Amino acid sequence: MRPVLGVLACALACGAQDAAHENWPAYGGGPSAWRYSALSQVNRSNIRRLAPAWVFQTGDVLGGLQSTPIVVDGVMYVSTAKNRVFAIDAATGRELWHYFYPVPREFGLIYGPWNRGVAVADGRVFMGTIDNHVVALDQKTGRELWLVNVEDMQQCGCNITAAPLVAGGKVIVGVTGGDSAHRGYLTAFDVKTGRKAWRFWTIPGPGEPGHETWAGDSWKSGGGSTWMTGSYDPELNLVYWGVGNAAADFYGDARRGRNLYTDSIVALDAATGKLKWYYQEVPHDVWDFDAAYECVLVDLPVNGRMRKLLVNVNKGGYAFVVDRTNGEFVSAWPVAENITWIQGVDQKGELVGRSEPVPGQTRLLCPSIGGGRSWNHAAFSPRTGWFYSTGIEWCQEVTAQKEEPKEGQNFFGGVFQLRPPLKGKAGGHLAAYDPVTGRKFWSYESKYPLLASALATAGDLLFSGDPEGNFFALDAKTGEKLWSFQTGSGHRGSPVAYSAGGRQFVATPSGWGSAVAGLLSQLWPETEDFRPGSAIFAFTLPEEGR
Amino acid sequence: MIWVALLLAHSAAETGSAARGEQVFAQSCSVGYCHGKAGAASRGPRLRGRTFARSYLERVIRDGIPNSAMPGWKGRLTDQDIAAVIDYVASLATVSNDPPPTTAGSAPAGPAPAPEFRGTAEAERGFRLFFDATRETRCGVCHVSGGRGIAIGPDLGNLAGKPEGEIAAVLRSPRARHVVTVRLRGGETFPGLRVSKQGSLVKFYDLTTPPPVLRTVSQAEVLSVSDDAAWRHDAYLAPYTPSEIDDLAAYLRARRP
């Protein structure tokens, strides 16, 4: 029953420095995005007695509830689809204050309405908005302190749905826009004043290295959005961010070249925003296979040598593992069975056997545009040393078409229609993998794609939710389902664990909605009628159960 | 009833308009996460196989749906293309041909996309410079023009029609008539624009570095507000060459106020 050596090495060396404890202080749990809580009051032996403690209804149901709640010193901060922020007593569910952002009457963008969470630091609560602003609120009262319009959303065709990342006294936010004629960027603002500290353009301008990877003027509308939340390594003082697809999504003839830094992980100096290194997962993307999902930072032995790694699951269905000190490729492994857009990834990280959409023709490719996995986040447990990720089995017919960019307008270059997979049944799974080799230890199968994030805890539990409204706990070691609770609406957000008044809580958003949730109806027509919702459910053990 | 609708649907599908509508639908409506290929649903609702009144479709397509991702297509698509798209939707769904609504009383339009400016070559260059996304401190970051941009600095409408030399002169050295120096008790000082005062709270745009930041501070935090603004607008014009300034002047002169 002794853990294997590699795991033990990690448990000591990577310690639990990025575990969340009493609080859930940041989007990914900590700056390394493990989504792991060191709390173990709720564990495999007592999970069956876990019961709801309170429910908080936000009332904002359109678009679902995709948030990661932040918990600091007994207060939970949640944002909803239309940029409403609530501060909630994390022990009782009582509202402490709320802030309703004045959303524009019409925003007419395909990105939203939804919001994936706030950041809390320095006495302030930060949120990106549906109309491309960043707002800072007083953590105690919810009063607005500063508000900045990152860029005119009608012009850039972009807005903010992701949670900000706070690093080194700056609040860093990405923008959507990768399916618009848009040039992506990441912007850092001073936490106190809201003044811009730096901007990193994900597509290099004239004279900058990498600009030559874009034909003609295509760099001006090449996408490369930064629509999720990055990670931070305070020791290296590097901010890691995943960059989205190149635009037009399916039509690449007008942007011949590698199209840097789309579909890349970029490592930036937190103080200046200067590029330290990059790793491009998909050169010249013509499938909409973003590298925009979370960057999980882990220290693990590779061939006997401890290395500082970064794991990023690409939307195309491969997890890429790179050395986070220099961007060197380490390994790549699949999280889905049905992958046909490439035959594989070689020892050097090169894509092998690319199968590209052809303008004017219809081709069957897997996975679908919804991804071999959606953005909902993986979890890493330092106790098992395993990486827990969902995966989706589905395909699509893509018809690429030539399209001219119109600044800020949709820029897809094609249409698609979902199709069942070639192998097995359409559906989803949540599985445990070795983060370096991709060896699979177990897999929990689901009728529908799983679109909620995973939460790992020191109780050796893995929590997540499904589209039908079940919030469930699996044994992190075996994948066996130990507990489940029906919350009344599907899961598209991210559960968290925290402690308040000496009791451990596990809380989850419940509320069906989102772009990919909408796609499901092409394969599962009944999902069109799945009920929306927007509530936080908090669970704890009854007094006598602890 | 159903028969009539089906017949109508089929006849619409056969017209050239529906064929054009299919093209427009593929490019504008089914793209990405919207209504799916041939209206099969995606993140936007399914259209195929449903029942709509033509007037409803027309209104929603033209004006969009408030507080949603559905944009108004008025201004983005021509009237013919909107009609063609409706004909195409009629080939996928059941569309009842009720009389088209009068334009009066229909919902107000959402923000149409940036209207393209048409004028002399010089003025058109000026328009593009005003909103040039490759410049982080372009004019549109702080000024609205032609219903586009962000309204922080003054509306430049009063410059329309003025002699170009005069406009270029204002551009080279606009007087700071509104910018003030805000000093806070914490020791912070910034060039600001007064925005509003509500009870004990005051709002200023902080112009220290673009984009301007809307700051809300309590009256008690404000030490002083004075007119001796050291802020210089020139910094934003410096990146433009003299001939580009002339282009901007030509644009500001030519556009309708």
Side-chain angles (χ1 to χ4, degrees), chain A residues 431-482:
Chain A
Y433 300 95
D434 179 303
V436 178
T437 64
R439 184 180 153 206
K440 198 193 295 184
F441 298 98
W442 55 254
S443 178
Y444 168 81
E445 304 295 314
S446 162
K447 176 177 177 191
Y448 300 111
L450 294 168
L451 300 181
S453 298
L455 161 70
T457 72
D460 285 334
L461 295 167
L462 188 72
F463 291 89
S464 195
D466 69 26
E468 293 173 282
N470 301 299
F471 181 55
F472 57 81
L474 307 181
D475 183 324
K477 295 185 170 164
T478 64
E480 185 196 345
K481 190 191 270 186
L482 302 176

Side-chain angles (χ1 to χ4, degrees), chain B residues 37-99:
Chain B
K37 197 172 177 185
S42 181
R43 66 135 303 174
R46 172 172 58 85
L47 304 179
R48 186 191 286 164
R50 291 179 59 194
T51 304
F52 300 103
R54 179 171 273 269
S55 61
Y56 172 81
L57 285 181
E58 195 157 323
R59 193 180 70 235
V60 167
I61 294 170
R62 295 184 76 85
D63 298 332
I65 299 178
N67 284 322
S68 83
M70 174 66 185
W73 291 88
K74 186 162 63 185
R76 294 178 218 232
L77 294 177
T78 63
D79 286 354
Q80 286 105 301
D81 279 352
I82 289 177
V85 155
I86 295 173
D87 286 343
Y88 174 64
V89 172
S91 74
L92 312 167
T94 309
V95 172
S96 63
N97 244 336
D98 56 352

Side-chain angles (χ1 to χ4, degrees), chain A residues 296-376:
Chain A
V296 182
L297 314 184
V298 288
D299 296 356
L300 289 172
V302 178
N303 299 328
R305 184 161 69 91
M306 268 319 260
R307 293 184 75 172
K308 289 179 184 294
L309 304 175
L310 180 155
V311 186
N312 171 259
V313 179
N314 182 282
K315 201 187 194 194
Y318 269 83
F320 284 81
V321 185
V322 299
D323 182 321
R324 74 173 182 277
T325 64
N326 57 17
E328 202 180 287
F329 175 80
V330 173
S331 63
W333 46 271
V335 298
E337 305 281 327
N338 285 278
I339 298 179
T340 64
W341 64 283
I342 46 171
Q343 280 158 15
V345 182
D346 75 11
Q347 299 280 314
K348 295 203 293 279
E350 303 286 336
L351 305 183
V352 180
R354 292 166 63 113
S355 177
E356 303 190 0
V358 179
Q361 289 179 24
T362 299
R363 283 202 154 187
L364 184 71
L365 291 170
C366 318
S368 89
I369 184 175
R373 198 201 87 183
S374 186
W375 63 260
N376 47 304

Side-chain angles (χ1 to χ4, degrees), chain A residues 104-107 109-110 112 114 145-147 149 151 155 194-196 201 315 409 412 416 518-519 522 528, chain B residues 26 30-33 41-43 46 66-69 71 76 110 131 136 138 148 150 188 206 208 213-214 216:
Chain A
R105 189 175 163 280
E106 193 214 313
F107 65 98
L109 278 188
I110 56 171
W114 39 74
L145 296 172
W146 56 257
L147 174 69
N149 193 166
E151 191 179 4
Q155 183 170 358
R195 290 176 197 149
K196 187 175 78 179
W201 291 95
K315 201 187 194 194
Q409 305 288 305
F412 280 97
F416 63 91
L519 282 183
Q522 292 191 10
E528 200 179 312
Chain B
S30 45
V31 290
Y33 294 104
S42 181
R43 66 135 303 174
R46 172 172 58 85
N67 284 322
S68 83
R76 294 178 218 232
F131 294 109
E136 277 179 62
R138 61 186 176 275
R148 201 175 159 179
I150 302 174
E188 204 191 326
D206 175 346
T208 306
V213 184
L214 184 63
T216 307

Side-chain angles (χ1 to χ4, degrees), chain B residues 136-182:
Chain B
E136 277 179 62
T137 58
R138 61 186 176 275
C139 321
V141 169
C142 301
H143 295 284
V144 169
S145 183
R148 201 175 159 179
I150 302 174
I152 288 165
D155 190 316
L156 304 178
N158 61 330
L159 299 176
K162 291 235 167 94
E164 253 172 63
E166 196 177 310
I167 296 177
V170 177
L171 283 183
R172 287 200 182 91
S173 60
R175 297 140 294 156
R177 291 179 302 170
H178 309 278
V179 178
V180 293
T181 300
V182 182

Side-chain angles (χ1 to χ4, degrees), chain A residues 140-189:
Chain A
K140 289 220 167 62
T141 62
R143 165 163 93 69
E144 196 174 296
L145 296 172
W146 56 257
L147 174 69
V148 60
N149 193 166
V150 182
E151 191 179 4
D152 178 7
M153 73 158 174
Q154 295 298 340
Q155 183 170 358
C156 70
C158 71
N159 66 353
I160 305 170
T161 53
L165 173 77
V166 176
K170 293 175 187 68
V171 48
I172 306 169
V173 282
V175 290
T176 65
D179 310 315
S180 306
H182 164 81
R183 178 184 175 213
Y185 52 81
L186 202 59
T187 319
F189 299 92

